[in-house]
């Protein structure tokens, strides 16, 4: 049986980073190109064949519309190529959850799409990059992975894009999933799914937008004043996500300013995990807010941007999209 053929799309990040020393804390992301990554992977003798393409060579803190637009186009092209069985995207860990979720919302369930990164640069002692890449190849080469949406592989675990988040600033096991944990465990020689696929034959949830609207995240804090809302609107905000206290709350004047903002408002939470439900502490029905439910602020922003770009602006319609899994 022929090995699966995987197209690797490189965007930079720590997995492609060098520190110049095995024990140096600082490093430069995006120093290793796609060909060099694949040459290193070739020494592992993985049960797959590869080709690589360079999308960007940046730290993921700098990723934005230009890179997302190019990346989406390359993935669509790879899905249409009969010679390609799966797609791997190497990516920095800081915004991997946002890229994965944006792609998950806008790609059909055609071929496996797997994001992978590393918490330690390539030349660091104990670097996790090559093992994560080998694990990603195992997942991207499994046809069953195609019916599970976009996936993120880190530290011998597989996460669904809608669940995954970076939960620690350091350490190889920095990623978690909420409300589900990992959907599979993986090693370079094994892959164990924890449940059946749920995306069989599913088309893309949204069309790829021509652009993404400006949507800032306002983080609530004790003593926060309402002028933060005015500043966001003055800066051209077309929607606002509140990273609120507890159940997505904020000081009364802030809540009232958001209710009068004239743009869609989604209440999420600055708490590490948990659901923000409608009308629990805030009267969403009266104020026209949307509750983020299980999405944290970063992914709530992505979904709100896609909804606005798709012409969806009624709170009740937006809420149905935030309620979906």
């Amino acid at each position: 049986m022929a090995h699966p053929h995987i197209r690797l799309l490189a965007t930079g990040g720590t997995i492609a980073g060098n520190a110049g020393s095995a024990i140096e804390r600082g490093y430069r992301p995006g120093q290793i190109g796609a060909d060099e990554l694949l040459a290193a992977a070739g020494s592992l003798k993985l049960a797959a064949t590869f080709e690589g393409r360079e999308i960007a060579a940046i730290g993921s803190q700098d990723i934005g519309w230009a890179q997302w637009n190019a990346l989406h186009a390359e993935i669509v092209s790879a899905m249409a190529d009969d010679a390609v069985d799966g797609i791997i995207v190497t990516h920095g860990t800081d915004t991997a959850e946002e890229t994965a979720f944006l792609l998950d919302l806008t790609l059909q369930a055609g071929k496996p799409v797997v994001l992978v990164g590393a918490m330690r640069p390539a030349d660091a002692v104990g670097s996790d990059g090559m093992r994560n890449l080998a694990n990603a190849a195992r997942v991207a080469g499994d046809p069953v992975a195609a019916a599970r949406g976009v996936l993120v592989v880190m530290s011998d675990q597989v996460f669904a894009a809608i669940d995954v988040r970076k939960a620690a600033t350091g350490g190889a096991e920095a990623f978690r999933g909420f409300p589900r944990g990992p959907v599979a465990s993986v090693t370079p020689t094994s892959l164990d799914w924890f449940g059946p696929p749920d995306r069989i034959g599913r088309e893309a949830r949204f069309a790829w937008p021509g652009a993404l609207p400006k949507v800032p995240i306002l983080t609530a804090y004790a003593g926060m004043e309402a002028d933060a809302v005015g500043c966001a609107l003055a800066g051209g905000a077309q929607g606002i996500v509140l990273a609120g206290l507890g159940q997505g709350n904020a000081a009364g004047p802030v809540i009232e300013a958001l209710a009068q903002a004239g743009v869609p408002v989604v209440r999420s939470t600055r708490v590490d995990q948990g659901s923000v439900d409608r009308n629990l502490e805030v009267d969403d029905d009266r104020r026209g807010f949307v509750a983020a439910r299980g999405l944290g602020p970063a992914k709530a922003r992505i979904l709100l941007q896609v909804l606005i770009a798709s012409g969806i602006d009624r709170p009740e319609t937006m809420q149905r999209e935030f309620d979906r899994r």
Side-chain angles (χ1 to χ4, degrees):
M1 181 177 178
H3 291 325
H5 185 75
I6 296 171
R7 182 170 294 172
L8 182 141
L9 305 175
T11 68
T14 303
I15 194 170
N18 274 324
S21 166
I23 57 173
E24 181 66 37
R25 292 193 66 185
Y27 66 94
R28 292 179 299 163
Q31 300 300 299
I32 301 172
D35 290 343
E36 191 175 347
L37 279 173
L38 291 181
S43 67
L44 303 177
K45 303 187 184 306
L46 302 175
T49 61
F50 297 92
E51 60 178 274
R53 298 189 181 181
E54 200 86 30
I55 305 299
I58 58 175
S60 68
Q61 69 275 8
D62 290 321
I63 204 161
W65 174 250
Q67 294 80 21
W68 280 334
N69 197 40
L71 179 60
H72 186 271
E74 284 286 354
I75 293 174
V76 170
S77 175
M79 284 190 167
D81 189 336
D82 291 339
V84 176
D85 297 304
I87 300 110
I88 291 175
V89 179
T90 55
H91 198 286
T93 58
D94 284 349
T95 58
E97 64 192 83
E98 287 146 282
T99 297
F101 189 49
L102 177 60
L103 295 174
D104 191 59
L105 292 171
T106 55
L107 291 172
Q108 66 180 31
K111 294 177 181 179
V113 178
V114 180
L115 266 71
V116 65
M119 291 298 295
R120 298 169 183 142
D123 56 351
V125 62
S127 175
D128 52 330
M130 278 299 106
R131 183 176 180 88
N132 288 343
L133 183 56
N135 289 345
R138 173 65 58 177
V139 176
D142 184 354
V144 177
R148 299 175 186 272
V150 175
L151 301 166
V152 175
V153 170
M154 291 289 292
S155 65
D156 291 1
Q157 296 180 310
V158 185
F159 299 93
I162 196 170
D163 299 319
V164 72
R165 72 188 193 286
K166 187 175 182 179
T169 59
E173 297 183 352
F175 278 69
R176 301 287 185 272
F178 177 83
R180 294 179 297 178
V183 297
S185 62
V186 62
T187 74
T189 57
S190 66
L191 174 59
D192 295 301
W193 297 105
F194 299 154
D198 59 356
R199 302 277 187 99
I200 297 173
R202 183 180 295 185
E203 295 296 319
R205 187 168 160 186
F206 299 99
W208 184 250
L212 289 176
K214 190 170 186 177
V215 175
I217 298 172
L218 300 184
T219 301
Y221 50 87
M224 184 180 184
E225 297 181 348
D227 59 1
V229 179
C231 290
L233 295 172
Q238 295 170 262
I240 295 173
V241 172
L242 174 67
L245 309 169
Q247 264 274 349
N249 212 337
V254 176
I255 293 296
E256 292 306 320
L258 288 170
Q260 300 300 319
V263 299
V265 174
V266 176
R267 294 189 306 107
S268 184
T269 178
R270 71 180 199 181
V271 177
D272 182 55
Q273 67 180 40
S275 181
V276 172
D277 298 317
R278 287 191 64 79
N279 301 317
L280 187 59
E281 294 183 359
V282 176
D283 190 341
D284 294 306
D285 291 342
R286 182 168 69 85
R287 294 184 169 92
F289 293 160
V290 176
R293 303 301 298 275
L295 295 182
K299 280 189 277 196
R301 174 178 175 267
I302 292 291
L303 179 52
L304 181 55
Q305 286 180 297
V306 172
L307 287 170
I308 295 171
S310 301
I312 299 171
D313 57 5
R314 293 177 61 84
E316 59 269 26
T317 308
M318 287 184 163
Q319 188 63 66
R320 286 196 292 270
E321 294 297 336
F322 275 86
D323 290 344
R324 286 181 61 178
R325 287 291 304 168

